[in-house]
Amino acid sequence: MDLLQLQGKNIVVMGVANERSIAWGIAQQLFEVGANVIFTYRKERSKGKIEKMLEKLDRQNVAIVECDVNSDESIATAFQQIGEQFQVIHGIVHSVAFAHAEDLKNRFVETTRDGYAFAQDTSAYSLIAVSKAAKPFMTEGGSIVTMSYLGAERVLDGYNVMGVAKAALEASMRYLAADLGAENIRVNAISAGAIRTLAAKGVPSFNQILHKIEETAPLKRNTNQAEVADMTMVMLSHLSRGVTGETIYIDCGYNIMG
Ligand code: NAD
C-alpha cells in the first residue's frame, strides 16, 4: 500500500550543497518512493556537487535549476522554469539559511543592521518569496516544509542573529499556513537537532553543542540526516494531510528538557 502517495509527485528540493546537506538526505528518500525531485542551487559549485552525487546514484535527467533566494528575479525565473517543465508543483523543501560569520561570532549586541537584514532575508523572508513564486503551480494543493532550529525560541550560544531569523521563519511559516490553507497548501517546519553540515560549521562551539545534547536529550544521542529526512517525508506526504502551521521537533527529545 502506498501510504505516502509521493510517487510521481513533483517536489522542489532547495539547499543541497553536498552529501551532508539535510536536503540531500530528503532528496534520496524522495527518489526511493518514486517522486520527481527538482533541485535548486545557488552556487555553481553546488550544482557540480549535485551532478556528481546524482551520477553516483545512477540518476540522469534530473532537473537542477539555479535559484538565489536573495534575488526576487532569480526566484521568479527558477519557478517559471520549473512550472513550464513540470506544470504542477506538489511540494517544496526549503532547506536554506545563511548569516555572516561575524554575526555568529561576535556578541549579539554587536549585530549590525546589515547582518540582521541579510540573515532575515536569506533565512526567513525567502520562505515567503518562494511560496509566492510556487503558488501559481501548486494547483493541486501541496506541502511546503522548511528547516528550523531550537535557537528560534531559546537563547543558544553562538546562534545569535540566526536564532532571530529562525523565530521569524517559524512565525512566517504559521502565517503562510493560515493564508494558503484555503488552497490546500500546507506549510510546516521541522526543527532539526544539531547535525554536522556545512552550515553548522559557521556555528562556534558546535562540538560542545553535540556533547551537551548527547548528555541531556531523552534518547541520549544526537539525531542525524536520515531521521530528519524521514519526518520530512511524512510532512510532505498524504500521512500528514491534516497538519499545517506546526513546528515538528526531530531532536531526540532535546527540546523538552529544562
Ligand atoms: P547546508 O550548508 O548543507 O545547507 C544550507 C544551504 O543553504 C546550502 O545549500 C546553501 O547553498 C543554501 N543557501 C544559502 N544561501 C542561499 C541563497 N541565497 N540562495 C539559495 N540557497 C542558499 O546545511 P544544512 O545544515 O543542511 O542546512 C539546511 C537547513 O537546515 C538550514 O535552514 C539550517 O539552518 C537548517 N538546520 C540545520 C541544522 C544543523 O545542525 N545542521 C539544525 C537545524 C536546522
Side-chain angles (χ1 to χ4, degrees), residues 154 208-221 251-258:
R154 300 223 198 127
Q208 282 106 295
I209 293 172
L210 291 177
H211 286 310
K212 191 173 172 203
I213 294 170
E214 250 170 46
E215 278 167 17
T216 321
L219 296 183
K220 303 290 173 221
R221 61 176 178 82
D251 65 349
C252 298
Y254 181 65
N255 73 93
I256 67 165
M257 302 306 288

Short mmCIF file of all heavy atoms in Angstrom, two decimals, residues 154 208-221 251-258:
data_model
loop_
_atom_site.label_atom_id
_atom_site.label_comp_id
_atom_site.label_asym_id
_atom_site.label_seq_id
_atom_site.Cartn_x
_atom_site.Cartn_y
_atom_site.Cartn_z
N ARG A 154 14.90 29.56 22.04
CA ARG A 154 15.79 29.61 23.20
C ARG A 154 17.08 30.29 22.80
O ARG A 154 17.50 30.21 21.65
CB ARG A 154 16.15 28.20 23.65
CG ARG A 154 14.98 27.38 24.04
CD ARG A 154 15.27 26.62 25.29
NE ARG A 154 14.31 25.55 25.39
CZ ARG A 154 14.64 24.28 25.55
NH1 ARG A 154 15.91 23.93 25.65
NH2 ARG A 154 13.71 23.37 25.63
N GLN A 208 30.69 21.35 21.36
CA GLN A 208 30.12 21.37 22.71
C GLN A 208 28.61 21.16 22.66
O GLN A 208 28.05 20.47 23.51
CB GLN A 208 30.39 22.71 23.43
CG GLN A 208 31.80 22.81 23.99
CD GLN A 208 32.63 23.76 23.14
OE1 GLN A 208 32.90 23.47 21.97
NE2 GLN A 208 33.05 24.87 23.71
N ILE A 209 27.97 21.75 21.64
CA ILE A 209 26.52 21.59 21.49
C ILE A 209 26.18 20.10 21.33
O ILE A 209 25.29 19.57 21.98
CB ILE A 209 25.99 22.41 20.28
CG1 ILE A 209 26.15 23.91 20.55
CG2 ILE A 209 24.53 22.07 19.96
CD1 ILE A 209 25.84 24.82 19.36
N LEU A 210 26.95 19.42 20.46
CA LEU A 210 26.69 17.99 20.21
C LEU A 210 26.87 17.17 21.50
O LEU A 210 26.05 16.30 21.81
CB LEU A 210 27.64 17.45 19.13
CG LEU A 210 27.41 17.94 17.70
CD1 LEU A 210 28.48 17.37 16.76
CD2 LEU A 210 26.03 17.57 17.18
N HIS A 211 27.91 17.49 22.28
CA HIS A 211 28.16 16.76 23.53
C HIS A 211 27.03 16.98 24.53
O HIS A 211 26.57 16.06 25.20
CB HIS A 211 29.49 17.18 24.16
CG HIS A 211 30.67 16.62 23.43
ND1 HIS A 211 30.77 15.29 23.12
CD2 HIS A 211 31.79 17.20 22.93
CE1 HIS A 211 31.90 15.07 22.46
NE2 HIS A 211 32.53 16.22 22.32
N LYS A 212 26.60 18.24 24.63
CA LYS A 212 25.55 18.58 25.60
C LYS A 212 24.26 17.83 25.26
O LYS A 212 23.57 17.32 26.14
CB LYS A 212 25.32 20.10 25.57
CG LYS A 212 24.44 20.54 26.72
CD LYS A 212 24.34 22.04 26.81
CE LYS A 212 23.29 22.40 27.87
NZ LYS A 212 22.75 23.72 27.65
N ILE A 213 23.94 17.74 23.97
CA ILE A 213 22.72 17.03 23.56
C ILE A 213 22.83 15.55 23.92
O ILE A 213 21.88 14.97 24.45
CB ILE A 213 22.46 17.23 22.04
CG1 ILE A 213 22.15 18.70 21.75
CG2 ILE A 213 21.31 16.33 21.56
CD1 ILE A 213 22.12 19.07 20.29
N GLU A 214 24.01 14.98 23.66
CA GLU A 214 24.21 13.56 23.99
C GLU A 214 23.96 13.27 25.47
O GLU A 214 23.37 12.27 25.84
CB GLU A 214 25.67 13.18 23.67
CG GLU A 214 25.81 12.26 22.48
CD GLU A 214 27.26 12.12 22.09
OE1 GLU A 214 28.13 11.92 22.99
OE2 GLU A 214 27.53 12.27 20.90
N GLU A 215 24.41 14.21 26.29
CA GLU A 215 24.24 14.03 27.74
C GLU A 215 22.80 14.27 28.18
O GLU A 215 22.29 13.58 29.06
CB GLU A 215 25.12 15.05 28.49
CG GLU A 215 26.55 14.61 28.62
CD GLU A 215 27.44 15.77 29.08
OE1 GLU A 215 26.89 16.79 29.60
OE2 GLU A 215 28.64 15.66 28.90
N THR A 216 22.13 15.24 27.55
CA THR A 216 20.86 15.74 28.09
C THR A 216 19.63 15.17 27.42
O THR A 216 18.59 15.01 28.07
CB THR A 216 20.82 17.30 27.93
OG1 THR A 216 22.09 17.83 28.20
CG2 THR A 216 19.77 17.91 28.84
N ALA A 217 19.67 14.92 26.11
CA ALA A 217 18.45 14.53 25.37
C ALA A 217 17.91 13.21 25.92
O ALA A 217 18.68 12.33 26.30
CB ALA A 217 18.77 14.38 23.89
N PRO A 218 16.58 13.06 25.96
CA PRO A 218 15.99 11.81 26.45
C PRO A 218 16.57 10.56 25.77
O PRO A 218 16.82 9.56 26.43
CB PRO A 218 14.51 11.97 26.11
CG PRO A 218 14.28 13.45 26.15
CD PRO A 218 15.55 14.06 25.64
N LEU A 219 16.86 10.63 24.47
CA LEU A 219 17.39 9.45 23.76
C LEU A 219 18.92 9.32 23.90
O LEU A 219 19.52 8.41 23.33
CB LEU A 219 16.97 9.48 22.28
CG LEU A 219 15.46 9.39 22.01
CD1 LEU A 219 15.18 9.35 20.50
CD2 LEU A 219 14.83 8.17 22.68
N LYS A 220 19.53 10.25 24.61
CA LYS A 220 20.98 10.21 24.90
C LYS A 220 21.86 10.12 23.65
O LYS A 220 22.87 9.40 23.61
CB LYS A 220 21.33 9.04 25.84
CG LYS A 220 20.57 9.07 27.15
CD LYS A 220 21.03 10.22 28.03
CE LYS A 220 20.18 10.36 29.28
NZ LYS A 220 19.90 11.75 29.61
N ARG A 221 21.44 10.80 22.61
CA ARG A 221 22.25 10.83 21.39
C ARG A 221 21.79 12.01 20.54
O ARG A 221 20.77 12.64 20.83
CB ARG A 221 22.09 9.52 20.60
CG ARG A 221 20.67 9.23 20.13
CD ARG A 221 20.60 7.96 19.28
NE ARG A 221 19.25 7.65 18.87
CZ ARG A 221 18.62 8.20 17.83
NH1 ARG A 221 19.23 9.12 17.09
NH2 ARG A 221 17.39 7.85 17.51
N ASP A 251 14.76 15.86 17.29
CA ASP A 251 15.97 16.21 18.03
C ASP A 251 16.23 15.26 19.20
O ASP A 251 16.87 15.66 20.18
CB ASP A 251 15.87 17.67 18.53
CG ASP A 251 14.74 17.84 19.54
OD1 ASP A 251 13.93 16.90 19.70
OD2 ASP A 251 14.68 18.90 20.19
N CYS A 252 15.73 14.03 19.09
CA CYS A 252 15.88 13.03 20.15
C CYS A 252 15.29 13.54 21.47
O CYS A 252 15.71 13.12 22.55
CB CYS A 252 17.36 12.64 20.33
SG CYS A 252 18.01 11.87 18.84
N GLY A 253 14.36 14.47 21.37
CA GLY A 253 13.63 14.97 22.54
C GLY A 253 14.32 16.09 23.29
O GLY A 253 13.81 16.56 24.32
N TYR A 254 15.43 16.59 22.76
CA TYR A 254 16.23 17.59 23.50
C TYR A 254 15.41 18.81 23.91
O TYR A 254 15.59 19.36 24.99
CB TYR A 254 17.43 18.00 22.63
CG TYR A 254 18.34 18.99 23.29
CD1 TYR A 254 19.06 18.63 24.43
CD2 TYR A 254 18.49 20.28 22.79
CE1 TYR A 254 19.91 19.54 25.04
CE2 TYR A 254 19.32 21.19 23.40
CZ TYR A 254 20.03 20.82 24.53
OH TYR A 254 20.85 21.72 25.13
N ASN A 255 14.47 19.21 23.05
CA ASN A 255 13.74 20.47 23.30
C ASN A 255 12.85 20.43 24.54
O ASN A 255 12.46 21.48 25.04
CB ASN A 255 12.91 20.86 22.07
CG ASN A 255 11.70 19.97 21.89
OD1 ASN A 255 10.61 20.28 22.36
ND2 ASN A 255 11.88 18.83 21.25
N ILE A 256 12.53 19.24 25.05
CA ILE A 256 11.63 19.20 26.21
C ILE A 256 12.38 19.36 27.53
O ILE A 256 11.78 19.56 28.58
CB ILE A 256 10.81 17.87 26.28
CG1 ILE A 256 11.73 16.66 26.55
CG2 ILE A 256 10.00 17.66 25.00
CD1 ILE A 256 10.96 15.41 26.98
N MET A 257 13.72 19.27 27.47
CA MET A 257 14.49 19.27 28.72
C MET A 257 14.73 20.70 29.24
O MET A 257 14.84 21.64 28.47
CB MET A 257 15.85 18.58 28.49
CG MET A 257 15.70 17.14 27.98
SD MET A 257 14.66 16.08 29.02
CE MET A 257 15.72 15.85 30.45
N GLY A 258 14.80 20.80 30.53
CA GLY A 258 14.99 22.11 31.16
C GLY A 258 16.40 22.60 31.05
O GLY A 258 17.26 21.93 30.52
#
